[in-house]
Amino acid sequence: MPGAPSAGTTGAIVSAGIVAAGAVAWAVSLSDASGAVDVSSGAAAPIDTARLHPGAEPVALEQGRIYYVQLCMSCHGARGDGGGEWAYRVTPRPANLGAARTRARSDAQLFEIVSEPQPGTPMIGWKKQLSESQRRQLVAYVRHLSQGGVSGARH
């Protein structure tokens, strides 16, 4: 195919991209030393039952928190503010789960977002990885975050 880069050129471009991404990650982590996650709050800490809203199910929230830590925290951050360690590597940036836009969504809308890939975003959807019950628990935890149930959550 005329004009197509050779395998060696493609390999060099990919390698340069990896090195550049690593350099950017290093520079950002040096410039944002205040961004360290405080494990005594946020998604890294177990649910604080004193902060639960009426009708919340502590066990479902705790299970949802675990799924959040495993699948969502790297992009959305420990407090759901969209500032996770991978947030600057994706376009558009992850949503702030404490924002009015998230709080205004119904549980059914949040369930759909958690379940299905979101066009134009890096959100892949978790329908194939999580059961319906697990996704509902994750939605319950996202709702908990959006209502300020995590200390330090920004709105």
Side-chain angles (χ1 to χ4, degrees):
M1 171 182 240
S6 68
T9 302
T10 301
I13 291 169
V14 169
S15 296
I18 291 170
V19 168
V24 169
W26 175 76
V28 168
S29 52
L30 283 180
S31 68
D32 189 17
S34 65
V37 175
D38 174 8
V39 295
S40 65
S41 64
I47 297 291
D48 179 1
T49 55
R51 299 179 65 91
L52 291 181
H53 295 280
E57 298 177 26
V59 173
L61 282 177
E62 182 61 19
Q63 290 171 329
R65 182 193 68 83
I66 291 168
Y67 302 132
Y68 180 87
V69 168
Q70 292 172 341
L71 303 172
C72 311
M73 189 168 84
S74 61
C75 289
H76 291 281
R79 292 173 185 82
D81 59 7
E85 64 181 293
W86 282 88
Y88 69 93
R89 296 178 180 138
V90 297
T91 302
R93 294 260 173 126
N96 176 349
L97 302 177
R101 182 176 179 190
T102 303
R103 290 192 312 270
R105 294 186 190 273
S106 69
D107 286 351
Q109 289 171 318
L110 291 176
F111 183 80
E112 181 69 19
I113 291 168
V114 165
S115 299
E116 299 296 336
Q118 298 303 300
T121 76
M123 179 68 186
I124 63 169
W126 301 106
K127 187 175 189 175
K128 293 181 180 178
Q129 294 85 355
L130 298 175
S131 69
E132 179 180 342
S133 174
Q134 290 169 323
R135 285 178 280 138
R136 292 201 185 282
Q137 291 166 341
L138 181 55
V139 166
Y141 185 74
V142 168
R143 177 69 65 204
H144 179 70
L145 280 175
S146 74
Q147 295 172 341
V150 173
S151 63
R154 295 185 311 225
H155 295 249

